[in-house]
Amino acid sequence: MLDRRAFALMTFGLVTGPAHAALQRQARPTAPTEAVWQPADTPPGGVAWSLLESTKEITRTDAKGFVRSKPVFPPGVKALDGKVVKVAGYMMPLQNGTLQKHFVLLAYPPDCPFHLNPTPMQFIEVKSAAGLGFDYRVKVIQGTLQLAGQDEGGIFYRIWDARPA
Protein backbone atom coordinates (compact mmCIF):
# COMPACT_ATOMS: atom_id res chain seq x y z
CA MET A 1 0.00 0.00 0.00
CA LEU A 2 1.30 3.45 -0.92
CA ASP A 3 1.83 6.09 1.69
CA ARG A 4 0.54 9.61 1.03
CA ARG A 5 3.92 11.01 0.03
CA ALA A 6 4.54 8.25 -2.53
CA PHE A 7 1.00 8.70 -3.88
CA ALA A 8 1.51 12.46 -4.20
CA LEU A 9 4.82 11.98 -6.03
CA MET A 10 3.25 9.47 -8.41
CA THR A 11 0.29 11.74 -9.05
CA PHE A 12 2.56 14.73 -9.62
CA GLY A 13 4.64 12.66 -12.02
CA LEU A 14 1.57 11.70 -14.01
CA VAL A 15 0.31 15.26 -14.15
CA THR A 16 3.65 16.69 -15.23
CA GLY A 17 4.49 13.85 -17.59
CA PRO A 18 4.14 13.64 -21.38
CA ALA A 19 0.33 13.45 -21.34
CA HIS A 20 0.10 16.68 -19.38
CA ALA A 21 2.57 18.39 -21.71
CA ALA A 22 0.47 17.38 -24.72
CA LEU A 23 -2.62 18.84 -23.07
CA GLN A 24 -0.77 22.08 -22.37
CA ARG A 25 0.13 22.44 -26.08
CA GLN A 26 -3.49 22.22 -27.23
CA ALA A 27 -5.06 25.53 -28.16
CA ARG A 28 -7.24 26.91 -25.41
CA PRO A 29 -9.88 29.55 -25.87
CA THR A 30 -8.69 32.90 -24.57
CA ALA A 31 -12.25 33.98 -23.77
CA PRO A 32 -15.59 32.28 -23.15
CA THR A 33 -17.04 30.62 -26.21
CA GLU A 34 -19.10 32.86 -28.43
CA ALA A 35 -22.15 30.66 -27.71
CA VAL A 36 -22.26 32.12 -24.21
CA TRP A 37 -22.94 35.58 -25.59
CA GLN A 38 -25.38 34.67 -28.36
CA PRO A 39 -28.97 33.48 -28.04
CA ALA A 40 -30.07 30.36 -29.88
CA ASP A 41 -30.52 30.97 -33.60
CA THR A 42 -34.02 31.79 -34.76
CA PRO A 43 -35.55 28.79 -36.55
CA PRO A 44 -37.08 29.37 -40.00
CA GLY A 45 -40.49 30.96 -39.45
CA GLY A 46 -39.76 31.27 -35.74
CA VAL A 47 -39.66 33.99 -33.12
CA ALA A 48 -36.31 35.65 -32.41
CA TRP A 49 -35.11 36.00 -28.84
CA SER A 50 -34.28 39.62 -29.65
CA LEU A 51 -38.02 40.28 -29.97
CA LEU A 52 -38.82 38.55 -26.66
CA GLU A 53 -35.91 40.39 -25.01
CA SER A 54 -37.39 43.73 -26.12
CA THR A 55 -39.97 43.43 -23.32
CA LYS A 56 -39.23 45.91 -20.54
CA GLU A 57 -39.26 44.90 -16.88
CA ILE A 58 -40.62 47.04 -14.05
CA THR A 59 -39.31 45.96 -10.66
CA ARG A 60 -40.25 46.87 -7.11
CA THR A 61 -39.34 45.59 -3.67
CA ASP A 62 -42.28 44.36 -1.62
CA ALA A 63 -42.80 44.79 2.13
CA LYS A 64 -40.81 41.61 2.86
CA GLY A 65 -37.83 42.74 0.77
CA PHE A 66 -38.51 40.46 -2.22
CA VAL A 67 -37.99 41.91 -5.69
CA ARG A 68 -41.14 41.68 -7.79
CA SER A 69 -41.30 42.32 -11.51
CA LYS A 70 -43.93 42.98 -14.14
CA PRO A 71 -43.54 43.05 -17.91
CA VAL A 72 -44.24 45.88 -20.31
CA PHE A 73 -44.75 44.03 -23.59
CA PRO A 74 -44.04 45.94 -26.81
CA PRO A 75 -46.64 45.70 -29.62
CA GLY A 76 -44.63 43.04 -31.51
CA VAL A 77 -44.67 40.73 -28.48
CA LYS A 78 -48.32 41.48 -27.64
CA ALA A 79 -49.23 40.36 -31.16
CA LEU A 80 -47.86 36.87 -30.37
CA ASP A 81 -50.11 36.28 -27.33
CA GLY A 82 -52.27 33.21 -27.97
CA LYS A 83 -50.53 32.46 -31.28
CA VAL A 84 -48.69 29.28 -32.21
CA VAL A 85 -45.00 30.14 -32.29
CA LYS A 86 -41.77 28.32 -33.00
CA VAL A 87 -38.73 29.13 -30.86
CA ALA A 88 -35.28 27.64 -30.34
CA GLY A 89 -33.43 27.44 -27.05
CA TYR A 90 -31.63 25.38 -24.45
CA MET A 91 -33.55 23.06 -22.14
CA MET A 92 -33.17 23.39 -18.40
CA PRO A 93 -34.97 20.40 -16.83
CA LEU A 94 -37.33 20.84 -13.92
CA GLN A 95 -37.88 17.09 -13.44
CA ASN A 96 -35.72 14.03 -12.93
CA GLY A 97 -35.18 11.81 -15.95
CA THR A 98 -34.44 12.18 -19.62
CA LEU A 99 -38.04 12.81 -20.70
CA GLN A 100 -39.14 16.31 -19.71
CA LYS A 101 -42.78 17.40 -19.60
CA HIS A 102 -42.08 20.60 -17.63
CA PHE A 103 -38.92 22.59 -18.29
CA VAL A 104 -37.52 26.03 -18.95
CA LEU A 105 -36.35 26.97 -22.43
CA LEU A 106 -33.40 29.36 -22.17
CA ALA A 107 -32.29 31.86 -24.80
CA TYR A 108 -28.63 31.39 -23.89
CA PRO A 109 -26.73 28.17 -23.22
CA PRO A 110 -26.30 27.31 -19.56
CA ASP A 111 -22.52 26.92 -20.01
CA CYS A 112 -21.61 28.19 -16.57
CA PRO A 113 -23.57 27.44 -13.40
CA PHE A 114 -22.18 30.60 -11.81
CA HIS A 115 -23.61 32.86 -14.51
CA LEU A 116 -27.04 31.35 -15.01
CA ASN A 117 -29.09 34.43 -14.20
CA PRO A 118 -31.47 34.90 -17.09
CA THR A 119 -33.87 37.79 -16.97
CA PRO A 120 -37.59 37.01 -17.34
CA MET A 121 -37.31 38.02 -21.02
CA GLN A 122 -34.72 35.31 -21.68
CA PHE A 123 -36.66 32.16 -20.84
CA ILE A 124 -39.99 30.45 -21.42
CA GLU A 125 -41.70 28.09 -19.00
CA VAL A 126 -42.72 25.07 -21.07
CA LYS A 127 -45.09 22.13 -20.54
CA SER A 128 -45.52 19.29 -22.98
CA ALA A 129 -48.07 16.47 -22.79
CA ALA A 130 -45.78 13.96 -24.50
CA GLY A 131 -42.51 15.22 -23.06
CA LEU A 132 -39.28 15.99 -24.85
CA GLY A 133 -35.96 14.22 -24.49
CA PHE A 134 -33.35 16.13 -22.53
CA ASP A 135 -29.94 16.88 -24.00
CA TYR A 136 -27.64 19.91 -24.19
CA ARG A 137 -28.30 20.76 -27.83
CA VAL A 138 -30.58 23.52 -29.07
CA LYS A 139 -34.24 22.48 -29.04
CA VAL A 140 -36.79 23.91 -31.45
CA ILE A 141 -40.28 23.77 -30.00
CA GLN A 142 -43.67 24.88 -31.19
CA GLY A 143 -46.75 25.76 -29.18
CA THR A 144 -49.15 28.49 -28.17
CA LEU A 145 -47.38 31.40 -26.49
CA GLN A 146 -49.05 32.85 -23.42
CA LEU A 147 -47.92 36.21 -22.09
CA ALA A 148 -47.82 36.25 -18.29
CA GLY A 149 -46.22 38.20 -15.48
CA GLN A 150 -48.98 40.54 -14.39
CA ASP A 151 -49.04 38.61 -11.10
CA GLU A 152 -45.40 39.69 -10.54
CA GLY A 153 -44.41 36.04 -10.33
CA GLY A 154 -41.31 36.47 -12.52
CA ILE A 155 -42.49 34.38 -15.48
CA PHE A 156 -43.25 36.47 -18.58
CA TYR A 157 -43.68 33.71 -21.20
CA ARG A 158 -45.31 30.27 -21.16
CA ILE A 159 -45.98 27.54 -23.68
CA TRP A 160 -48.21 24.78 -22.27
CA ASP A 161 -48.78 22.60 -25.34
CA ALA A 162 -45.21 22.30 -26.58
CA ARG A 163 -44.08 19.82 -29.17
CA PRO A 164 -40.92 19.47 -31.23
CA ALA A 165 -40.98 21.68 -34.32
Side-chain angles (χ1 to χ4, degrees):
M1 185 159 178
L2 294 175
D3 67 8
R4 287 184 184 167
R5 193 169 73 194
F7 180 75
L9 289 171
M10 284 181 57
T11 302
F12 181 73
L14 291 174
V15 170
T16 59
H20 181 66
L23 289 173
Q24 292 297 321
R25 284 191 299 271
Q26 291 180 359
R28 292 184 186 177
T30 58
T33 62
E34 289 301 314
V36 172
W37 310 111
Q38 299 296 321
D41 290 336
T42 305
V47 174
W49 280 104
S50 59
L51 176 61
L52 298 175
E53 289 178 311
S54 70
T55 294
K56 302 293 183 222
E57 178 183 19
I58 298 173
T59 61
R60 71 177 180 87
T61 304
D62 69 12
K64 294 182 179 180
F66 294 105
V67 175
R68 304 291 181 182
S69 66
K70 289 175 83 166
V72 178
F73 298 113
V77 174
K78 282 183 181 178
L80 298 174
D81 191 25
K83 303 277 195 270
V84 174
V85 299
K86 192 184 325 180
V87 65
Y90 301 86
M91 182 185 283
M92 184 174 77
L94 296 176
Q95 303 171 296
N96 289 327
T98 57
L99 190 64
Q100 297 292 306
K101 293 184 177 185
H102 187 206
F103 60 93
V104 174
L105 191 71
L106 299 166
Y108 297 85
D111 287 351
C112 177
F114 301 104
H115 294 100
L116 183 61
N117 296 307
T119 65
M121 297 77 73
Q122 296 173 329
F123 66 88
I124 302 171
E125 181 182 11
V126 179
K127 286 193 178 180
S128 171
L132 284 84
F134 171 74
D135 61 42
Y136 295 102
R137 297 179 306 219
V138 171
K139 297 277 186 208
V140 179
I141 64 162
Q142 184 171 323
T144 305
L145 182 69
Q146 298 173 349
L147 301 184
Q150 296 306 323
D151 63 355
E152 296 185 314
I155 304 282
F156 289 3
Y157 307 115
R158 289 188 173 111
I159 295 178
W160 289 142
D161 56 348
R163 58 199 171 279

